[in-house]
Amino acid sequence: MKINRNKYILIATAIVLTMVSCSEDFLNVDKSGSVSVDDYYKTPEDAYAALVSAYDPIRKNSGGFENYITMLNAGSDDHYAGGGSATDGAGIQAFSKYTLDANNIPGSFWSVPYQGVFNANILLVKLPDIPLDEATKTRYIAELKGLRAYYYFDLVRMFGNVPLILTPITTSEVYTVTQAAPSEVYAQIEKDLTEAIPNLPITITSKESGRLSKGAATALLGKVYLYEKKNAEAAAQLALVNGPTPGATSPYGYKLLSKFSDLWVVSNKFNSESILEISHTSEGNSDWGFWGSGRDEGNTVNVMVGPRGYNRMTGAPDLPSGWSFNPVTVDLYNFIKTDPRFNATVFDVLPYEAEAQAQDPPTHAYIAGYQDTGYFLNKFLPRQADVTTGTGAQPLNYKQDTYAIRLADTYLLEAEALGGTGARAQALLDAVRTRVGLPSVPVSQTAIMNERRLELAGEGHRWYDLVRTGKAASVLASRGFIAGKNEIFPIPFGELKNTKLVQNPNY
């Protein structure tokens, strides 16, 4: 959301109900030096600040050490956890090796999306009494329902069996909440999105970049239907987003960029291919004291995926050093090395390391981290030009946005929903390949999934693709994936303690 968050963030977090864990007393707000819930939600300014707070948890896609992208990459066949050692981030290491349990799963994967749910719930209750014009109020309601659907989609995909909470609850009620069937959660996601879509704008102004649009909510609904295996409904929604002619500008204004590499240019925010974008800024002065709290606004994936101790050699890109998470597997390297998207996706440091070793005296181009392959995720590698000089911690203030949904993704999702057959599916697949100069190949579900792996590598989609298509158990067997267990995460122990929540099967 391209707005001045700093103006609102402290007051918003002080008065908006959040769920850090089920054991937190999230209704008791200290009124000394702050604003209580009863005294808040009175003015249009209050409503806007609360709307901002409902958007803030969406940054978990790429913000904070426990972000979705690096975590989900680590559990796929395309990346390892990496980092400095086998103990560098217990959760990401355990997920990569399928030893994740209730004690080592980061609790934020549960609490942060619920924070978004709770922030949306309370504003939905309070909005009728706030003096706003009806058009603004209607749009806010649509955005809040769309956001709630987004957060529940993350929760149900990650955990399967989650509480479905649609109104603010009291402290005592926290301990009596029970889980809903996944089908109930999906039904509510559908309901929220179908109610939101008619009241969301088609066009988002530059000052509002990052807010939900009609196209973003429609794309999300199509994706939800596909996960439910409602393929006809998924194809219909995704066709609205993609437009009648794949490759041409859609009615919502979406169009594939002509150059794949332009997707990763840091300044190319909210481009024509972007459907739902997670915004980051270098102006938030994020620091270690509140990193990962929701107040930080930088992109943490950038520093996480960079090579450690980087020493620039002749002809090498000018990179700041990183933490060496998510090294690219040899399997993905071999799969993508002849593809035109390789250079934009993978940074191969090994030739530069050979150059460094040939010097007199020998030196290193980088320091090999844990599970090092020499291949790094170039889509998110920052350049020295991206390094900030603000007052915050430099590694936490990169400003590259990330895509939660982009057009090539929805093209391939629609082709899949169509069963991987027919002229429309072929045209959608061809459009993605034509953009990078590849010839047509006969459309099939296998061809579509291969294209998704090449096109979306490192963006956090691969693990979900393997799980929802039933391929995870075979593809990830060598990692320790167990069918009937690892398709969802364990519920964090802190959420189970003294509550009626039941742990997921086999954990």
Side-chain angles (χ1 to χ4, degrees):
M1 198 172 183
K2 191 177 179 182
I3 52 181
N4 185 3
R5 280 195 179 91
N6 292 332
K7 180 178 179 182
Y8 298 111
I9 192 68
L10 292 177
I11 192 169
T13 54
I15 53 83
V16 177
L17 305 187
T18 61
M19 182 176 175
V20 177
S21 79
C22 279
S23 60
E24 291 290 330
D25 184 350
F26 55 82
L27 274 181
N28 291 337
V29 180
D30 183 1
K31 296 187 180 183
S32 61
S34 66
V35 183
S36 77
V37 172
D38 291 337
D39 296 333
Y40 202 64
Y41 303 100
K42 302 295 186 184
T43 69
E45 291 74 21
D46 295 344
Y48 185 70
L51 180 67
V52 171
S53 73
Y55 270 97
D56 276 337
I58 206 169
R59 286 202 307 272
K60 189 166 181 60
N61 191 62
S62 35
F65 182 77
E66 296 167 357
N67 61 77
Y68 290 153
I69 288 177
T70 55
M71 181 72 164
L72 292 169
N73 283 348
S76 78
D77 55 332
D78 288 348
H79 302 270
Y80 299 115
S85 70
T87 59
D88 194 357
I92 193 171
Q93 301 294 342
F95 182 50
S96 189
K97 298 173 182 176
Y98 290 94
T99 57
L100 203 62
D101 59 33
N103 293 303
N104 59 28
I105 181 172
S108 66
F109 288 107
W110 178 282
S111 65
V112 170
Y114 267 117
Q115 175 184 329
V117 168
F118 280 33
N119 293 355
N121 283 347
I122 192 169
L123 187 52
L124 283 167
V125 169
K126 297 290 186 179
L127 265 177
D129 297 325
I130 300 176
L132 286 167
D133 64 84
E134 286 305 311
T136 299
K137 191 174 292 188
T138 297
R139 180 179 178 185
Y140 281 15
I141 291 170
E143 288 179 274
L144 292 166
K145 288 183 177 181
L147 287 168
R148 185 168 66 183
Y150 177 91
Y151 297 132
Y152 268 123
F153 188 43
D154 281 340
L155 285 163
V156 75
R157 287 189 297 167
M158 284 189 293
F159 295 101
N161 306 292
V162 299
L164 183 59
I165 302 168
L166 303 176
T167 59
I169 60 175
T170 65
T171 305
S172 60
E173 289 174 320
V174 168
Y175 301 99
T176 60
V177 165
T178 58
Q179 290 137 298
S183 59
E184 293 179 61
V185 179
Y186 272 109
Q188 183 61 45
I189 293 170
E190 291 181 24
K191 182 176 185 293
D192 275 345
L193 289 171
T194 54
E195 290 176 357
I197 288 168
N199 296 317
L200 289 168
I202 293 177
T203 303
I204 302 293
T205 69
S206 59
K207 292 182 179 180
E208 299 175 330
S209 296
R211 294 176 69 172
L212 284 178
S213 66
K214 192 182 297 290
T218 303
L220 181 58
L221 180 58
K223 193 169 183 176
V224 167
Y225 280 140
L226 187 63
Y227 273 69
E228 295 183 273
K229 303 190 184 303
K230 297 180 178 180
N231 288 359
E233 293 92 332
Q237 293 299 315
L238 292 165
L240 296 174
V241 175
N242 296 333
T245 306
T249 302
S250 81
Y252 290 143
Y254 303 129
K255 191 176 192 304
L256 295 175
L257 296 183
S258 58
K259 288 180 62 179
F260 177 80
S261 59
D262 284 350
L263 284 161
W264 319 111
V265 174
V266 172
S267 60
N268 198 18
K269 294 172 180 274
F270 302 104
N271 55 67
S272 65
E273 190 165 339
S274 174
I275 296 175
L276 182 57
E277 183 165 329
I278 312 302
S279 61
H280 292 285
T281 178
S282 59
E283 299 176 4
N285 293 323
S286 301
D287 218 329
W288 303 107
F290 55 85
W291 180 42
S293 67
R295 291 168 55 198
D296 56 315
E297 299 182 33
N299 180 331
T300 305
V301 176
N302 291 155
V303 68
M304 289 183 73
V305 302
R308 288 175 176 259
Y310 184 72
N311 178 26
R312 188 185 185 194
M313 307 305 295
T314 304
D318 193 8
L319 309 175
S321 293
W323 300 344
S324 70
F325 283 91
N326 280 173
V328 172
T329 62
V330 174
D331 186 55
L332 175 60
Y333 177 87
N334 289 334
F335 189 73
I336 200 174
K337 65 183 179 181
T338 60
D339 188 90
R341 288 160 287 206
F342 173 81
N343 287 332
T345 303
V346 178
F347 170 49
D348 180 358
V349 76
L350 296 180
Y352 303 112
E353 176 64 10
E355 177 189 339
Q357 287 290 294
Q359 293 186 354
D360 188 16
T363 185
H364 290 282
Y366 77 115
I367 298 172
Y370 179 57
Q371 298 175 310
D372 176 64
T373 60
Y375 310 132
F376 295 87
L377 183 52
N378 202 23
K379 287 179 177 179
F380 299 120
L381 285 186
R383 271 42 180 180
Q384 284 291 351
D386 301 323
V387 173
T388 63
T389 57
T391 59
Q394 179 270 316
L396 308 184
N397 284 281
Y398 289 113
K399 60 185 178 182
Q400 182 183 15
D401 288 0
T402 57
Y403 307 103
I405 306 176
R406 61 183 177 90
L407 192 60
D409 180 14
T410 59
Y411 274 18
L412 295 172
L413 289 175
E414 185 191 346
E416 180 184 344
L418 291 168
T421 62
R424 171 77 178 179
Q426 184 71 65
L428 290 160
L429 176 62
D430 286 349
V432 175
R433 293 177 61 82
T434 298
R435 189 257 293 275
V436 295
L438 288 172
S440 177
V441 294
V443 70
S444 67
Q445 295 291 38
T446 298
I448 292 165
M449 296 310 295
N450 286 342
E451 202 65 34
R452 286 186 64 80
R453 189 181 187 191
L454 294 164
E455 175 73 22
L456 301 168
E459 297 177 52
H461 298 286
R462 175 67 174 172
W463 186 78
Y464 279 133
D465 283 351
L466 291 173
V467 169
R468 68 183 174 77
T469 57
K471 300 182 186 305
S474 58
V475 172
L476 300 172
S478 63
R479 293 280 189 96
F481 188 101
I482 299 172
K485 174 182 178 181
N486 295 125
E487 290 86 356
I488 52 178
F489 291 179
I491 297 172
F493 177 75
E495 306 300 334
L496 299 170
K497 189 177 180 180
N498 299 322
T499 73
K500 291 189 175 183
L501 301 186
V502 177
Q503 183 58 277
N504 282 327
N506 300 314
Y507 282 106

